[in-house]
Amino acid sequence: MTAALSGRSTAVRLLAALVVAILGWVVPAAAHEVRPAYLQIDQTDDSHYTVLWKTPLLSGMPLPVVLRLPDDVKHVVEPLERPLPGSILQKRVISAPAGLAGRQIAFVGLQATITDVLVRVTWLDGRQASAIVRPSQPWYLVPAEQSFWSIAWDYTALGINHILYGLDHLLFVASLMLIVRDWRVLVKTITAFTIAHSVTLALATFGLVTLPPPPVEAMIALSILLVAAEAVRMERGKVSLTITWPWVVAFGFGLLHGFGFAGAMVDLGLPQRDVPLALLFFNVGVEIGQLMFIAAILAVACSARLIFTSGRSMRIAAAYGIGAIAAFWVVERLDAIFL
Amino acid sequence: MPQEALAHGVLKGVGDFYAGLLHPIVVPAELLAIAAMGLLVGRSGLATCRRGIPMLAAGVAVGLGLASVVTTSGTTTPLVVAALVAGAIVTADQRVPPWVAAGLAALAGTALGIDAAPEAKSHIAAVTSGVATIVGSTALATIIAALALRVEKHWQHVAAQVAGSWITAWAMLYFAYQLALLSR
């Protein structure tokens, strides 16, 4: 007994030592320099810009990083250096006849440090761009002004990308398709889902309605679980609101899924002046992605139905599969909220 | 062969699921084998479809499992052999007994599974990618088989035979190229 206790005590001590050793190894590695360098560029007229370049002092030494502007940029006012507590501020005025949009600003030597650079660019018309430059990629590409088509293309692609990688939204659509058997009802159901998520996506993007993302994500998982359960009930000959009017349920839960899309869109960032345009094309992209998914599912389902007679078993298996994944997400997302 | 070079890590930056799902579609030898098998089982009738497609899926799963213990190089040849045989049968407008088609589908599926084995960073990524490959290859074979099964009109028969002849021709070109490489 005593030997067992002694052995356990030794094991605990060894474990504690291991934890301390790991912490000792990890913590210094994670001790990243918390004060980033800062670059601010403000356009003052068509070809002139003021540049603020603030670098932190590390143990009293200046950051060994040199700001390199595009080759055709000329100094109108040479860099004026001013020491501040813990940092050095450099101010200059530059002339860039070809503009800075689409040009690269390099931070020579940054790759040898662990310091980030926060970059902010403001144009005359009020547009702003900002980014954090990491030592692993020590340059900043000033974004070019986006045209209508560029915004339309970018946000449509983002919308398609988001829905095709958003497995929860796809599984919700798939579970609705297990319930709907008629083409007209399918069109009605998908349209209701589209209208609903478009409404909440717009409301959330414009900041008119906001919901915290974690509960929304948990509710989205729950919505998939509920519709998958309804699909199983339907196969067992039961009747319910979801089975009779799937488009009503699609609309209700679609409102919820719109908040999920909005969270993703806000994360992606919005062009300052073109929020409605970006929103429109993001939504268009989501619809295109959704239709691509529905077309693929219908093609496989119709083909399988032609070959295999056990359609009911396959639908039940699919509903259980979707339900199991959704149940896992519900637990996982609730865990993230409460624990 | 270009497809051999492309066979692994063919789709970068699309995530493990889509890399696995699209692998059988973007690697020419795999696509050809699936198309040939789909056409063969579809043209051979419903009973052959019902055995051939599950055998293809099972073969892919076995191949993915085997990939961890056998070498993944040189799997293009069995894929192309399967495509050549199936394409020739379709071109000749012949039907095969269900067990023959099922065996060929299992062979093609196994070669495909080995060929498509993911170079994943983690166990979860490998499983995700592997499951997606099974889903993608089975779904594609099912769609092609269903289309071949519905062939009724004369021009549709001709179109199916033309497709079979193209598959056969491509497979023969592959072997001719391999012979040319050996003779150098």
Side-chain angles (χ1 to χ4, degrees):
Chain A
M1 179 77 177
T2 314
L5 277 174
S6 168
R8 194 177 296 171
S9 168
T10 308
V12 169
R13 275 201 296 268
L14 278 172
L15 188 65
L18 187 66
V19 168
V20 170
I22 291 170
L23 282 175
W25 179 60
V26 169
V27 171
H32 194 277
E33 169 55 62
V34 289
R35 288 176 300 144
Y38 179 66
L39 176 68
Q40 184 180 322
I41 302 175
D42 296 314
Q43 189 177 23
T44 51
D45 62 39
D46 282 350
S47 60
H48 289 89
Y49 302 81
T50 57
V51 179
L52 277 176
W53 173 228
K54 188 177 165 190
T55 52
L57 289 170
L58 305 172
S59 310
M61 300 292 287
L63 188 74
V65 176
V66 177
L67 179 67
R68 185 187 287 163
L69 296 164
D71 289 343
D72 64 335
V73 167
K74 290 190 171 56
H75 285 110
V76 177
V77 175
E78 287 297 321
L80 193 70
E81 218 167 76
R82 189 154 61 100
L84 296 174
S87 61
I88 296 174
L89 180 69
Q90 210 180 63
K91 192 175 177 183
R92 67 185 95 181
V93 178
I94 58 166
S95 163
L100 287 177
R103 314 293 297 279
Q104 194 179 76
I105 295 169
F107 302 94
V108 182
L110 188 70
Q111 64 274 25
T113 72
I114 53 166
T115 305
D116 295 335
V117 181
L118 175 63
V119 183
R120 187 179 296 277
V121 183
T122 307
W123 281 272
L124 266 181
D125 59 9
R127 281 182 302 121
Q128 285 188 334
S130 57
I132 293 172
V133 176
R134 312 270 183 205
S136 56
Q137 194 176 302
W139 66 84
Y140 174 65
L141 191 66
V142 182
E145 186 172 359
Q146 288 190 294
S147 65
F148 171 87
W149 292 112
S150 155
I151 292 170
W153 173 254
D154 285 352
Y155 280 84
T156 303
L158 284 172
I160 295 174
N161 203 45
H162 179 68
I163 187 86
L164 291 185
Y165 283 94
L167 195 56
D168 47 1
H169 303 300
L170 291 182
L171 286 188
F172 181 76
V173 173
S175 54
L176 280 175
M177 288 173 77
L178 288 172
I179 290 173
V180 176
R181 299 286 160 79
D182 182 80
W183 279 95
R184 275 174 296 185
V185 181
L186 178 66
V187 170
K188 210 188 279 185
T189 304
I190 298 301
T191 307
F193 181 61
T194 300
I195 292 170
H197 72 61
S198 302
V199 168
T200 42
L201 172 62
L203 289 175
T205 308
F206 288 115
L208 298 171
V209 181
T210 50
L211 288 178
V216 169
E217 295 297 324
M219 291 291 284
I220 286 173
L222 196 61
S223 73
I224 304 163
L225 179 61
L226 290 175
V227 177
E230 288 293 288
V232 174
R233 279 167 53 84
M234 184 182 174
E235 294 299 335
R236 290 179 179 157
K238 303 275 170 52
V239 177
S240 67
L241 173 82
T242 314
I243 295 161
T244 315
W245 295 296
W247 59 271
V248 174
V249 175
F251 186 87
F253 286 138
L255 293 170
L256 203 61
H257 284 248
F259 285 111
F261 292 139
M265 195 174 167
V266 170
D267 286 346
L268 293 168
L270 289 161
Q272 295 282 316
R273 292 186 311 169
D274 298 303
V275 175
L277 190 67
L279 176 65
L280 172 69
F281 282 100
F282 181 80
N283 214 16
V284 166
V286 167
E287 298 324 313
I288 292 171
Q290 194 172 282
L291 290 175
M292 282 163 64
F293 174 73
I294 291 168
I297 292 288
L298 282 178
V300 176
C302 292
S303 302
R305 197 158 32 187
L306 199 71
I307 295 168
F308 302 103
T309 49
S310 52
R312 184 172 174 271
S313 320
M314 288 167 87
R315 283 194 298 274
I316 290 177
Y320 270 110
I322 293 171
I325 295 169
F328 173 76
W329 282 337
V330 171
V331 174
E332 187 185 49
R333 292 172 185 187
L334 284 176
D335 180 63
I337 296 171
F338 295 111
L339 297 174
Chain B
M1 284 294 284
Q3 70 272 17
E4 279 183 316
L6 285 170
H8 299 281
V10 66
L11 287 162
K12 301 269 185 209
V14 295
D16 299 313
F17 183 79
Y18 284 105
L21 189 78
L22 298 174
H23 200 285
I25 297 164
V26 297
V27 176
E30 293 177 15
L31 178 63
L32 209 76
I34 293 171
M37 287 306 136
L39 273 176
L40 177 70
V41 298
R43 299 284 291 131
S44 298
L46 197 58
T48 312
C49 281
R50 285 181 184 161
R51 289 188 194 176
I53 290 169
M55 286 304 279
L56 178 85
V60 176
V62 168
L64 286 163
L66 280 176
S68 56
V69 287
V70 298
T71 175
T72 55
S73 62
T75 46
T76 306
T77 302
L79 270 175
V80 181
V81 167
L84 177 70
V85 173
I89 295 168
V90 172
T91 308
D93 202 17
Q94 295 297 307
R95 291 177 181 225
V96 291
W99 62 270
V100 173
L104 201 58
L107 171 77
T110 307
L112 193 152
I114 296 171
D115 196 57
E119 289 169 353
K121 300 173 288 293
S122 66
H123 186 64
I124 290 175
V127 170
T128 305
S129 185
V131 168
T133 299
I134 298 170
V135 170
S137 51
T138 309
L140 187 61
T142 305
I143 292 169
I144 295 170
L147 286 172
L149 201 60
R150 297 201 68 162
V151 164
E152 285 169 4
K153 296 188 172 112
H154 178 67
W155 70 266
Q156 291 172 333
H157 280 280
V158 174
Q161 283 175 270
V162 168
S165 70
W166 274 94
I167 291 168
T168 313
W170 187 92
M172 288 168 80
L173 277 174
Y174 169 80
F175 287 117
Y177 179 75
Q178 292 297 312
L179 273 175
L181 282 181
L182 281 174
S183 63
R184 268 184 206 169

